[in-house]
């Protein structure tokens, strides 16, 4: 048996974990400013929840779900995205009956059986939000503005936001008919995949990498919007411009999932090659009702943490790291004192790795320097006799004797470094 992480997955370690953590922290603080509350839903849900919400013909449901049957013959899928679970929670707990608006965010792993490639994983991580109960364009705009703030708080300011409206259940069918007529005339020159999509979801043909570029004169949805959808879209654009969001109107942006209505958007990075989408989302006014709840307007997004972590310029400083120290007892008798000093340092916010005795001092010091420690506190026979530790500053190698009880104050007094 070879021991290997499953294809398309990887272990996150070292600096990458630190970046994930920094992103999570940035997002949490922005969500707090916008008053979104965290929701943690299960990592698996009934397979039907996803096929009903994402649509049977979406790529995700057609070919990317990890689905399994449990011993009671129930069929579950590992969640491929976060919205379905949040909407399920909203309906199951009858949250619509509270009235008003409800705002949630989530952070966690998602699973899609995609062909692995750079920036595309089978287990990847998303941060997203869902905002229920607000039908107006301000909610769409504030969602986009909030995402921009998360990106900037994390150190990414180089992005553009593609936007479009895909209408609603009144105007989209008219567009769909017009598009279908246009596509039918060209069906012979289209790929088999596109001809199949024409039957199930013609708007997705525009998404096709092979055929999309050939269809540059296809009708665009903006010409088919009804008055309400048009007004909604215009206000959405104006609010984003007012906020200085770098917009790119893309009338062909349709998004892969069936549940969107009106505003759709995608954040794109110029630095990520083929997998350039950092975040995406839109309005989905029909989804709650589609899943059996009362009709509730909603807007949401998800960002790809893996992508943001790779798009962040290298050298972006990490959130200030705590001061680090290592406490080294030279022999067993010094361990109780070493633990006491370690506890007093941690109580003051200094990071101290668990104390151990027995290894060579030189090795322990070398290891401490490697791990980024700023201080070493040494306790041997002489130190026990004088009740004072040898405190070594690992940056400038200066060493001084400091009374055991004064060690935390000594480190603080020198600015921690
Ligand atoms: P989606 O749910 O497909 O709209 O995806 C939202 C965001 O999640 C995308 O813009 C990507 O940043 C990220 N994402 C989606 N699929 C993957 C994947 N397989 N691997 C890594 N990131 C992904």
């Amino acid at each position: 048996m070879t021991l290997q992480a499953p294809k398309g997955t990887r272990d996150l370690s070292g600096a990458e974990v630190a970046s994930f953590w920094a992103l999570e922290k940035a997002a949490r603080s922005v969500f707090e400013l916008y008053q979104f509350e965290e929701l943690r839903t299960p990592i698996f849900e009934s397979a039907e929840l996803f096929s009903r919400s994402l649509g049977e013909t979406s790529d995700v449901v057609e070919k990317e779900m990890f689905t399994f049957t449990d011993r009671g013959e129930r069929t579950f899928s590992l969640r491929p995205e976060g919205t379905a679970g949040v909407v399920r929670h909203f309906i199951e707990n009858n949250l619509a009956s509270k009235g008003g608006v409800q705002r949630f965010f989530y952070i966690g792993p998602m699973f899609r059986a995609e062909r692995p490639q750079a920036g595309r994983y089978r287990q990847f991580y998303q941060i997203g939000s869902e905002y229920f109960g607000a039908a107006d364009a301000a909610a769409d705009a504030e969602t986009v503005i909030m995402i921009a703030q998360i990106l900037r708080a994390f150190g990414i300011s180089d992005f553009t936001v593609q936007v479009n409206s895909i209408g609603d259940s009144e105007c989209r069918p008219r567009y769909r008919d017009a598009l279908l007529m246009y596509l039918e005339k060209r069906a012979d020159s289209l790929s088999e995949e596109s001809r199949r999509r024409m039957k199930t979801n013609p708007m997705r043909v525009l998404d096709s990498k092979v055929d999309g570029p050939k269809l540059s004169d296809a009708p665009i949805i903006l010409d088919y919007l009804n008055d309400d959808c048009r007004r909604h879209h215009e206000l959405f654009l104006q609010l984003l411009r007012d906020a200085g969001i770098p917009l790119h109107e893309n009338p062909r942006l349709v998004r892969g999932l069936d549940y969107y209505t009106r505003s759709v958007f995608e954040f794109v990075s110029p630095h990520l090659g083929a997998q350039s989408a950092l975040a995406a989302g839109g309005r989905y006014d029909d989804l709650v009702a589609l899943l059996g709840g009362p009709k509730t307007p909603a807007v949401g997004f998800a960002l790809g943490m893996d992508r943001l972590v790779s798009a962040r310029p290298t050298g972006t400083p990490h959130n200030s790291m705590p001061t680090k120290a290592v406490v080294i007892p030279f022999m067993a008798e010094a361990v109780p004192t070493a633990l006491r000093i370690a506890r007093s340092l941690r109580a003051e916010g200094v990071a101290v790795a668990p104390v151990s005795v027995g290894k060579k001092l030189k090795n322990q010091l070398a290891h401490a320097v490697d791990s980024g420690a700023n201080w070493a506190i040494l306790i041997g026979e002489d130190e026990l006799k004088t009740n004072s530790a040898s405190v070594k500053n690992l940056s400038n190698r200066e060493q001084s004797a400091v009374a055991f009880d004064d060690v935390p104050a000594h480190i603080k007094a020198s600015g921690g470094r």
Side-chain angles (χ1 to χ4, degrees), residues 286-297:
D286 298 332
L287 182 59
V288 177
L290 179 78
L291 291 177
K295 188 162 167 50
T296 308

Side-chain angles (χ1 to χ4, degrees), residues 169-189:
S169 55
E170 194 213 24
C171 48
R172 195 159 50 227
R174 283 192 280 125
Y175 171 66
R176 202 184 139 107
D177 289 348
L179 180 63
L180 204 52
M181 255 172 62
Y182 167 91
L183 292 173
E184 270 162 1
K185 281 193 209 136
R186 287 157 185 79
D188 290 347
S189 67

Side-chain angles (χ1 to χ4, degrees), residues 57 172-173 175-184 190 193-208 215 218-219 254 258:
T57 63
R172 195 159 50 227
Y175 171 66
R176 202 184 139 107
D177 289 348
L179 180 63
L180 204 52
M181 255 172 62
Y182 167 91
L183 292 173
E184 270 162 1
L190 297 179
E193 168 84 15
S194 292
R195 287 205 297 273
R196 200 172 53 83
R197 281 183 179 176
M198 264 172 68
K199 297 203 184 76
T200 53
N201 191 344
M203 285 169 67
R204 296 289 320 286
V205 178
L206 299 177
D207 253 356
S208 154
L215 304 171
V254 295
D258 281 0

Side-chain angles (χ1 to χ4, degrees), residues 242-355:
D242 289 350
I245 300 290
L247 280 192
H248 173 75
E249 289 179 61
N250 176 0
R252 296 164 71 102
L253 179 71
V254 295
R255 307 278 308 118
L257 308 178
D258 281 0
Y259 55 57
Y260 289 109
T261 51
R262 296 191 171 176
S263 311
V264 289
F265 53 81
E266 196 162 288
F267 280 65
V268 183
S269 161
H271 303 297
L272 286 183
Q275 307 304 326
S276 60
L278 294 172
R283 173 165 285 284
Y284 53 94
D285 289 345
D286 298 332
L287 182 59
V288 177
L290 179 78
L291 291 177
K295 188 162 167 50
T296 308
V299 55
F301 86 96
L303 65 76
M305 296 182 75
D306 315 72
R307 303 262 176 96
L308 262 71
V309 164
S310 354
R312 187 159 80 146
T314 43
T316 309
H318 278 299
N319 302 23
S320 57
M321 300 292 276
T323 302
K324 272 189 182 178
V326 56
V327 181
I328 304 176
F330 292 173
M331 66 289 179
E333 296 77 61
V335 166
T337 308
L339 256 63
R340 186 162 59 79
I341 294 177
R343 280 202 311 277
S344 66
L345 283 166
R346 293 187 191 114
E348 293 297 324
V350 177
V352 184
V355 170

